[in-house]
C-alpha cells in the first residue's frame, strides 16, 4: 500500500496536521453562537517526494495542512477606547534672566515755591559820632559862642592869651594858651566830653624865672595837680577824665616873689568830646 510505503516522518506530519484541523473546527463552533459546525471537508494531503534526511540539521516541525474554509464568524463590534483629553499645560514660568521693565513713574507736578515772608530787619542804632577835640587856643567865649561846644566863660575867667606857637624849656609847641602865674579859666563843656589833655610849664618868655603849680577842678573838687614847676623845668603832661562833668576850671597858683608876673602855658590843650 502507498501508506505503508511512506516513511515514518511523513506519517507523523499527517497525524499532526489532522490534530490541528480538529482544534480549529472546535474553536469556530464555539464562536458561532451555538450554531452547529459543519464537518470540514477532508482533503487528501498532497503527495510529496520523500524528504532527504540530513543528519546534521534538526528535523523541522511538520506544517499542518490548510483546512477547508469554515463559515465566517460573527464579529461583535467593540467600542474603541476613549482617548483622555490632554491635560492643560501650566503656563511656563518666566525666565529668571528676563527682568520686567518697570512702568515709568510720572514726575511730580511742579508746585510754585511759596514766597518767603520777609524777615523784618532790626534797625541798628546809629553809631556814636566820632570824637572831636576842641582846642583851648580856639575856643570861643560865651558871649560869641552858640552853646554847642566848649566855651570860655568870660565873667568867671582871668586873662587868657590864645596862641599858635609857644616854648617851654626850649621846646616849641604848636598851639596853646598863656596865662599869668595867678589865674583861673572856667570852661563850660556844653556837651558830653570824655577827657582833657595838655602839656604845662613856665613859658620861656620869662627867662626861666618864677615857680608855679597847675591844677584842674570840677567846681570845688580838684581832679588833677602838677606840683611846683620852676622856670626851665621840662613840661608836665596832663590827663583828666571828664565823664559826667559839665564845667571845669584850669587853675595856676604862684610860688615865690616874682610868680605873679610869671607866664604859665597850657600847651597842646584840648577837650575830647562826642
Amino acid at each position: 500500500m502507498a501508506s505503508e510505503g511512506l516513511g515514518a516522518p511523513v506519517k507523523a506530519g499527517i497525524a499532526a496536521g489532522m490534530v490541528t484541523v480538529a482544534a480549529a473546527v472546535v474553536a469556530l463552533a464555539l464562536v458561532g453562537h451555538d450554531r452547529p459546525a459543519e464537518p470540514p471537508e477532508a482533503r487528501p494531503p498532497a503527495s510529496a517526494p520523500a524528504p532527504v534526511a540530513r543528519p546534521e540539521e534538526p528535523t523541522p516541525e511538520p506544517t499542518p495542512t490548510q483546512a477547508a474554509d469554515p463559515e465566517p464568524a460573527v464579529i461583535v463590534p467593540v467600542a474603541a477606547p476613549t482617548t483622555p483629553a490632554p491635560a492643560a499645560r501650566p503656563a511656563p514660568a518666566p525666565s529668571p534672566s528676563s527682568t520686567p521693565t518697570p512702568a515709568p513713574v510720572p514726575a511730580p507736578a511742579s508746585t510754585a515755591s511759596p514766597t518767603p515772608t520777609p524777615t523784618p530787619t532790626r534797625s541798628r542804632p546809629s553809631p556814636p559820632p566820632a570824637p572831636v577835640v576842641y582846642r583851648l587856643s580856639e575856643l570861643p567865649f560865651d558871649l560869641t559862642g552858640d552853646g554847642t561846644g566848649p566855651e570860655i566863660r568870660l565873667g568867671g575867667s582871668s586873662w587868657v592869651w590864645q596862641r599858635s606857637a609857644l616854648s617851654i624849656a626850649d621846646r616849641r609847641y604848636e598851639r596853646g594858651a598863656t596865662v599869668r602865674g595867678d589865674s583861673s579859666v572856667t570852661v563850660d563843656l556844653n556837651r558830653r566830653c570824655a577827657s582833657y589833655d595838655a602839656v604845662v610849664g613856665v613859658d620861656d618868655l620869662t627867662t626861666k624865672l618864677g615857680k608855679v603849680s597847675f591844677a584842674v577842678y570840677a567846681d570845688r573838687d580838684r581832679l588833677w595837680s602838677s606840683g611846683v614847676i620852676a622856670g626851665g623845668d621840662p613840661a608836665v603832661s596832663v590827663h583828666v577824665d571828664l565823664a559826667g562833668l559839665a564845667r571845669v576850671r584850669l587853675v595856676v597858683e604862684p610860688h615865690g616873689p616874682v610868680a605873679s608876673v610869671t607866664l604859665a602855658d597850657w600847651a597842646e590843650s584840648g577837650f575830647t568830646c562826642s
Side-chain angles (χ1 to χ4, degrees):
M1 294 179 67
S3 60
E4 293 176 359
L6 299 174
V10 175
K11 291 180 181 181
I14 295 173
M18 294 300 290
V19 172
T20 304
V21 171
V25 171
V26 173
L28 291 175
L30 292 177
V31 175
H33 297 284
D34 298 333
R35 290 177 60 183
E38 295 182 0
E41 182 179 357
R43 294 181 180 181
S47 59
V52 179
R54 296 178 180 180
E56 65 276 4
E57 296 181 1
T59 303
E61 292 183 2
T63 302
T65 305
Q66 181 177 3
D69 295 334
E71 185 178 354
V74 178
I75 300 173
V76 179
V78 180
T82 304
T83 303
R89 296 182 178 180
S95 175
S97 60
S98 60
T99 305
T101 304
V105 180
S110 60
T111 56
S113 301
T115 303
T117 304
T119 304
T121 56
R122 296 181 179 179
S123 57
R124 296 181 179 179
S126 300
V132 179
V133 179
Y134 294 86
R135 300 295 179 182
L136 180 60
S137 59
E138 301 172 354
L139 290 185
F141 290 87
D142 57 355
L143 295 179
T144 58
D146 57 6
T148 60
E151 297 175 350
I152 298 174
R153 181 180 298 184
L154 184 58
S157 301
S158 306
W159 172 79
V160 178
W161 180 15
Q162 295 173 314
R163 303 172 61 184
S164 58
L166 51 127
S167 176
I168 301 174
D170 299 328
R171 181 173 179 177
R172 182 181 177 86
Y173 296 92
E174 295 298 327
R175 64 186 63 87
T178 300
V179 294
R180 291 192 296 263
D182 183 7
S183 66
S184 175
V185 178
T186 301
V187 178
D188 294 316
L189 301 178
N190 295 326
R191 62 187 309 146
R192 184 178 300 175
C193 295
S195 63
Y196 170 72
D197 296 273
V199 177
V200 296
V202 176
D203 194 283
D204 288 341
L205 291 176
T206 60
T207 63
K208 301 180 182 179
L209 297 175
K211 294 179 181 179
V212 294
S213 62
F214 297 82
V216 178
Y217 287 82
D219 296 332
R220 294 182 179 273
D221 297 329
R222 188 172 63 182
L223 305 179
W224 175 87
S225 176
S226 67
V228 177
I229 300 175
D233 291 345
V236 177
S237 298
V238 182
H239 177 79
V240 179
D241 185 6
L242 301 180
L245 301 180
R247 180 184 304 109
V248 294
R249 287 190 308 120
L250 307 180
V251 176
V252 177
E253 297 180 351
H255 296 273
V258 294
S260 58
V261 293
T262 301
L263 298 177
D265 293 335
W266 297 90
E268 302 297 340
S269 176
F271 300 85
T272 303
C273 306
S274 58

